[in-house]
Amino acid sequence: MPADGVTSILLVVSTATVKDAGSDMFFELIIPELASTESPAPTAPGDTGIYTLPANGSKTIDQISPTDITISADMPNGDNAWLPASLYLLAKTDTSDYQLVCGIPQWPSQIWISEDQSAHTLPPAFPAISLQNVLDARNPF
């Protein structure tokens, strides 16, 4: 019997509590050929956003990899940078409960998100990054 395709994505992301971590920007999360969202980042330091995304069922949970998931900046409200604190992405099918696909309990402090790389210096901000790159930055060895 073939595995069921993913029909819902749950994203839980928090903003770091360091100076200037909060932002009025939007972010875009893309899982190619399955789901995407453009959502406001949790604005204030320490805030958490919970987002539910519909998915089209074209992939199973096992076919989703942090390598394929991208988070990027979308700046309709400003030109500042955002520093997440943590990110959890879960997926479910019509017949299953949510299962963890990618957990980043402590976002690396050197990975700020902004369309304008100069919006944050030392280090410069990333306009887009895969979740695998974020995981690799947490565990460089």
Side-chain angles (χ1 to χ4, degrees):
M1 179 172 183
D4 290 339
V6 172
T7 56
S8 182
I9 302 289
L10 181 64
L11 175 66
V12 180
V13 63
S14 298
T15 296
T17 57
V18 300
K19 184 178 186 282
D20 297 326
S23 174
D24 59 355
M25 69 176 259
F26 279 53
F27 69 90
E28 186 172 28
L29 182 102
I30 299 172
I31 305 171
E33 302 171 12
L34 183 66
S36 66
T37 186
E38 183 179 303
S39 301
T43 305
D47 280 358
T48 298
I50 301 171
Y51 311 89
T52 304
L53 297 71
N56 65 22
S58 65
K59 294 184 179 189
T60 65
I61 290 172
D62 292 340
Q63 292 173 321
I64 304 170
S65 167
T67 303
D68 301 323
I69 304 167
T70 302
I71 188 166
S72 61
D74 187 18
M75 307 281 278
N77 297 324
D79 59 356
N80 53 17
W82 172 51
L83 179 63
S86 62
L87 182 145
Y88 295 90
L89 189 132
L90 299 96
K92 75 178 217 66
T93 69
D94 285 338
T95 59
S96 73
D97 291 329
Y98 280 106
Q99 297 177 45
L100 185 65
V101 173
C102 182
I104 304 172
Q106 187 172 357
W107 191 275
S109 61
Q110 73 272 24
I111 299 180
W112 290 70
I113 308 290
S114 178
E115 275 186 345
D116 179 2
Q117 289 181 297
S118 66
H120 189 272
T121 56
L122 300 173
F126 289 80
I129 192 164
S130 80
L131 295 188
Q132 186 62 55
N133 290 135
V134 176
L135 290 167
D136 291 346
R138 288 195 59 222
N139 303 305
F141 302 104

